[in-house]
Amino acid sequence: MSGRIHKNKQVSTIKGIYAFALLMLCSYGVFAQQQPGAPLGLQDQKKDSLQFDKTNTDDWHNDNIIVKVRYKYLNSNKVHTPDSSIHTFHRRPNIQPWYRDLGNYGTSVQNLMFTPEDRTGPSLGYNTFNVFRLNPDSLRYYNTTVPYSEFSFRLGSKLEQQVGILHTQNIKPNWNFAFEYNRVSSQGFFLLQRTSHDMGSFSTNYESINHRYKLKAGIIYNKDIQDENGGIVDTSQLTNDSYNERSNVDIAYANAVSGGGSAVPRSLITNTIRDYNIVLQHGYSWGHTDTLYSEDSTQMKIEYTPRFSVTHNFRLSNQQYTYKDLVPDSLRYAPVFAQAFFGDGSDSVFTRQKQNTFDNSLLLNGFLGKGEKQIQFSAGAGVRVDRFSTRYLINADFTTITSNYLVAQIRKEALEQGDLFYIADAKFYVTGAASGNSLLHFAAGKELGKGTAIIKAGIQQNINNAPYNYSLYINAYDTLTNNFNKESVTKVYGSISSNKYHLDLEVRNYLISNYLYMNAAQLPDQYAPTINLLQLSLQKAFKWRGVVFDNEVLYQSFTANAPLNLPMFLGRHQLSYERYIFKNALKIAIGAEMRYHSPYQTARYSAIFNRFYYDYTYVLSNDPIYAAFFNFKIKRFRSFIMVDQVQQAFRKANVINLPGYPAQNTMIRFGFNWVLLK
């Protein structure tokens, strides 16, 4: 049976987008903001990418005030600045550099560079949309000298859209707030592969005038929806002229087309993940205060050096995964369970799994040293309650896990050039089902010369339980239960980075015992022998006048017969010409790029479990993927236009991302990012 759609006129949203941007411009006078001489408690490590004074293009002054926009993350004092470069502005921001999707932007993503799942305590286990979601560790806490807003918009073929809005400003010199909203959606070239992601956050950053009390708080919400089509069933149709309109290609879930006359046909089989996080970190410190005067005694500055502090961390989160199939087919579920369905819409397959987490911890901190060269010692304890549930139409199952854990840390950050930096982290779960789980990490590094290079080395070990969805999965027709041993992942790594020589080199070696994965039968499994995996990644750019040749390569080698689907080599090469023109009023970057990987036994995707599973039957060997782009920047406005999947214009068959999931046709994308200042 063939899934078929009729051509529909694309509904333009550009007028509405520009109208909203104009509304933002007109609304800046709503909030008043004090203009401090410098952001409170923030240190410049290097010249801000948003603060230039050489050219008209790079002039980020506002009413003769130099604009400073800085942000930190939840557990770090290192200062970051927003990116304003155009070198790679044309690339999709969420899936760089080694991710592969299901052939439509926003679909489930697999990282071809092996990266262990980030879990120490109890977890739900659904991670294929992680790159599109905001999380507490990536939430930014800003400090600005003027109200600052960013508006971004990207548009591609088949209704591919990405919209982003950010606004931040200081209510007072020592108190900031920020809110952000992002949306990613795409219809896709093939039938029933629509995606929709909504991400929003609010954060606030406060420090008392005497520097003794600090607070960071935030709220995050994510919702991800993916229509499932099961992949195409016959790759030979990709070279058949009768299927040049890719929505006519036969799909595995052809009976799942919804009715109702929607402009974009929807699948009756969907995977949805929704979550929210509320985070709070605040603390009070005791220390020594000095009053510093200028040489002529006309200016005074208060310098505070903490010696001891108490920090309270709180997190409340909810994650919910839902799978529903409103028109189940017996053959679709044969690999998992045997069940006859009527096919008249009276049956359905449904499961919903939730995790509610309440996490509270208290830390005692000590400080050695002065000013920005302090060493921080922390130790504390926490209690965490996780409530898991599975609903499957006719009943529900509930599990509650209460855990107590201990944490400790020694940290010295490099806040100035040439500083030695190091960090040692430890976290141990001592009670509950997660008892014995631990995270140990040590890393150290130093800047060589005056900005010549930074070297870093570290070791990390993570011992963790299997995620909840590996241990229990229930629907109305089947129950899967497992009891796995703890997984152990040890990583040893070293890196060298040099802005001067445009070089980043990193070596990583993993030792993995009791590896948890999905086997070829789409069932959770565990591989007991130790896996040794070596990775070598290199990024090197060559510059000559305006010509830039940027290269990224990755090499991976792992133990034979290990259940891993990874290519040995991956590469991306970009050749561009970048320079200022029109008396430095306009900066351009024009060029082309190529991506490729070596042949390898690729994983497959399970729509039923929303996970990638191990497979050894399909060897994936593709031609390189090409793209051409033109990026430019005028003052605070950046834009691009590009042609992606260029090779598709000269061949009939699409590149294959995964078995049954071809990449897009040749497509045109454009977008812009506009920074607005009051």
Side-chain angles (χ1 to χ4, degrees):
M1 180 177 180
S2 173
R4 185 180 184 89
I5 66 171
H6 299 287
K7 275 192 174 181
N8 297 281
K9 291 184 179 180
Q10 181 172 326
V11 180
S12 173
T13 60
I14 298 177
K15 291 184 178 179
I17 296 298
Y18 279 109
F20 186 81
L22 181 61
L23 179 63
M24 290 179 65
L25 278 170
C26 297
S27 63
Y28 280 173
V30 176
F31 298 102
Q33 178 177 16
Q34 299 186 38
Q35 302 287 340
L40 180 69
L42 300 179
Q43 301 82 18
D44 287 330
Q45 292 193 79
K46 59 183 180 180
K47 194 172 183 67
D48 186 0
S49 60
L50 294 181
Q51 178 189 336
F52 298 94
D53 53 14
K54 292 184 178 179
T55 69
N56 184 45
T57 300
D58 292 329
D59 192 352
W60 278 68
H61 295 69
N62 189 45
D63 296 332
N64 297 319
I65 298 173
I66 297 178
V67 176
K68 290 181 181 288
V69 182
R70 307 285 191 269
Y71 63 87
K72 301 179 182 179
Y73 293 106
L74 185 63
N75 297 307
S76 174
N77 288 321
K78 188 173 181 180
V79 178
H80 303 268
T81 58
D83 180 27
S84 63
S85 65
I86 62 170
H87 178 63
T88 59
F89 184 58
H90 58 282
R91 298 181 184 177
R92 293 185 176 96
N94 301 98
I95 53 174
Q96 303 300 324
W98 310 120
Y99 291 100
R100 294 294 181 270
D101 56 27
L102 302 180
N104 185 31
Y105 188 43
T107 51
S108 295
V109 170
Q110 179 194 27
N111 194 353
L112 296 186
M113 180 181 76
F114 176 80
T115 306
E117 292 184 3
D118 182 18
R119 62 177 188 272
T120 303
S123 64
L124 192 60
Y126 295 97
N127 303 302
T128 63
F129 296 133
N130 278 5
V131 295
F132 301 104
R133 291 154 62 186
L134 300 173
N135 63 74
D137 290 336
S138 65
L139 192 59
R140 297 177 177 183
Y141 298 89
Y142 286 87
N143 204 316
T144 69
T145 56
V146 297
Y148 171 91
S149 295
E150 277 190 30
F151 179 73
S152 60
F153 177 68
R154 293 170 181 251
L155 181 67
S157 304
K158 299 299 180 180
L159 294 177
E160 180 182 313
Q161 297 184 50
Q162 184 168 357
V163 180
I165 301 169
L166 165 69
H167 178 76
T168 180
Q169 69 179 71
N170 277 40
I171 302 171
K172 295 181 178 180
N174 57 328
W175 186 12
N176 174 275
F177 77 90
F179 66 83
E180 180 179 6
Y181 172 75
N182 293 280
R183 177 175 174 82
V184 174
S185 63
S186 180
Q187 171 188 341
F189 281 83
F190 297 85
L191 185 61
L192 305 186
Q193 57 174 186
R194 179 183 180 273
T195 61
S196 175
H197 302 278
D198 292 279
M199 301 145 277
S201 70
F202 174 84
S203 65
T204 185
N205 180 22
Y206 173 80
E207 183 176 355
S208 64
I209 297 298
N210 61 9
H211 305 292
R212 294 181 181 272
Y213 179 76
K214 295 181 180 181
L215 178 145
K216 294 178 181 177
I219 301 173
I220 299 170
Y221 176 80
N222 300 284
K223 185 177 182 181
D224 310 287
I225 304 175
Q226 176 173 297
D227 286 11
E228 301 289 355
N229 66 5
I232 67 172
V233 297
D234 185 1
T235 56
S236 67
Q237 292 180 352
L238 298 176
T239 57
N240 188 328
D241 290 339
S242 299
Y243 297 92
N244 287 339
E245 172 54 55
R246 294 310 194 199
S247 61
N248 294 331
V249 173
D250 292 341
I251 58 174
Y253 299 167
N255 70 321
V257 182
S258 66
S262 172
V264 178
R266 294 294 308 276
S267 176
L268 295 173
I269 307 173
T270 58
N271 274 299
T272 303
I273 296 180
R274 185 177 62 192
D275 67 69
Y276 69 81
N277 286 270
I278 300 173
V279 293
L280 169 68
Q281 181 185 91
H282 63 133
Y284 190 86
S285 64
W286 294 264
H288 179 69
T289 301
D290 287 325
T291 303
L292 306 179
Y293 295 91
S294 61
E295 292 183 1
D296 57 3
S297 299
T298 58
Q299 294 183 349
M300 180 185 70
K301 177 183 178 182
I302 297 177
E303 185 177 90
Y304 174 67
T305 304
R307 292 303 178 196
F308 176 76
S309 71
V310 178
T311 302
H312 172 233
N313 292 284
F314 169 79
R315 179 169 68 93
L316 178 66
S317 65
N318 171 279
Q319 185 178 27
Q320 174 181 288
Y321 163 78
T322 303
Y323 172 82
K324 61 180 180 181
D325 182 352
L326 302 181
V327 286
D329 187 318
S330 301
L331 294 178
R332 189 178 304 154
Y333 296 94
V336 183
F337 61 85
Q339 175 67 34
F341 296 103
F342 290 106
D344 59 359
S346 60
D347 291 325
S348 63
V349 176
F350 172 88
T351 189
R352 173 171 290 164
Q353 294 191 310
K354 285 185 180 182
Q355 179 185 9
N356 291 282
T357 300
F358 173 87
D359 195 340
N360 233 359
S361 65
L362 191 68
L363 281 78
L364 304 179
N365 312 290
F367 302 86
L368 293 178
K370 294 183 178 182
E372 310 303 335
K373 299 182 180 294
Q374 283 195 320
I375 302 172
Q376 178 178 336
F377 302 84
S378 302
V383 59
R384 172 173 169 171
V385 180
D386 293 274
R387 181 174 173 82
F388 294 94
S389 66
T390 296
R391 297 185 182 274
Y392 44 100
L393 288 182
I394 60 175
N395 211 335
D397 181 271
F398 298 92
T399 301
T400 300
I401 299 174
T402 301
S403 308
N404 292 284
Y405 58 87
L406 302 174
V407 292
Q409 184 185 85
I410 300 174
R411 181 177 67 188
K412 180 182 180 299
E413 293 189 289
L415 302 179
E416 296 180 356
Q417 284 190 350
D419 280 357
L420 173 70
F421 61 90
Y422 50 83
I423 185 170
D425 280 302
K427 187 173 187 178
F428 300 94
Y429 281 81
V430 294
T431 64
S435 176
N437 288 12
S438 64
L439 174 65
L440 300 172
H441 176 229
F442 174 78
K446 193 179 190 308
E447 185 178 42
L448 303 178
K450 295 182 178 180
T452 302
I454 298 175
I455 60 170
K456 181 180 179 180
I459 182 170
Q460 176 176 304
Q461 185 186 49
N462 190 358
I463 299 175
N464 56 78
N465 286 0
Y468 175 74
N469 70 343
Y470 272 49
S471 303
L472 179 67
Y473 183 91
I474 308 175
N475 59 41
Y477 312 101
D478 192 35
T479 298
L480 302 174
T481 59
N482 296 284
N483 187 18
F484 293 114
N485 295 323
K486 293 182 183 296
E487 181 184 60
S488 173
V489 180
T490 302
K491 179 175 74 169
V492 181
Y493 62 95
S495 66
I496 181 168
S497 177
S498 173
N499 289 330
K500 180 179 180 179
Y501 297 107
H502 315 295
L503 171 71
D504 285 289
L505 173 66
E506 184 169 1
V507 180
R508 296 170 292 272
N509 194 85
Y510 292 95
L511 291 175
I512 309 166
S513 300
N514 294 324
Y515 175 60
L516 293 161
Y517 71 107
M518 298 284 283
N519 64 26
Q522 303 183 46
L523 298 175
D525 206 344
Q526 189 163 47
Y527 184 78
T530 299
I531 300 172
N532 183 65
L533 187 147
L534 174 67
Q535 289 178 337
L536 175 64
S537 60
L538 170 67
Q539 180 176 6
K540 169 63 180 172
F542 299 91
K543 296 187 177 183
W544 180 73
R545 296 186 178 179
V547 179
V548 182
F549 185 37
D550 194 356
N551 305 273
E552 297 174 81
V553 293
L554 172 66
Y555 168 79
Q556 301 179 116
S557 176
F558 54 89
T559 304
N561 300 319
L564 297 173
N565 293 116
L566 302 171
M568 181 177 293
F569 292 101
L570 296 101
R572 180 197 290 267
H573 307 278
Q574 177 176 310
L575 180 63
S576 58
Y577 181 70
E578 304 178 16
R579 62 166 296 179
Y580 287 100
I581 59 176
F582 300 131
K583 297 182 179 180
N584 293 334
L586 174 69
K587 185 176 183 180
I588 63 169
I590 183 171
E593 66 176 34
M594 174 184 70
R595 310 189 302 272
Y596 64 90
H597 61 74
S598 60
Y600 72 105
Q601 294 176 341
T602 183
R604 292 180 182 266
Y605 172 71
S606 171
I608 301 171
F609 299 107
N610 189 229
R611 294 190 73 104
F612 296 92
Y613 64 94
Y614 175 69
D615 186 69
Y616 52 86
T617 63
Y618 192 100
V619 176
L620 185 59
S621 179
N622 284 324
D623 292 335
I625 300 171
Y626 297 92
F629 61 90
F630 173 68
N631 307 337
F632 68 90
K633 173 183 173 184
I634 304 173
K635 289 190 175 181
R636 300 185 295 271
F637 182 86
R638 292 181 293 164
S639 187
F640 75 88
I641 183 169
M642 73 171 298
V643 183
D644 211 348
Q645 303 287 340
V646 172
Q647 77 290 337
Q648 183 63 26
F650 305 99
R651 49 174 292 181
K652 291 187 175 182
N654 301 64
V655 166
I656 303 298
N657 286 356
L658 286 169
Y661 292 95
Q664 299 97 327
N665 284 5
T666 301
M667 62 185 303
I668 297 176
R669 298 193 293 114
F670 85 91
F672 65 84
N673 175 274
W674 190 10
V675 172
L676 307 171
L677 306 173
K678 183 182 181 214

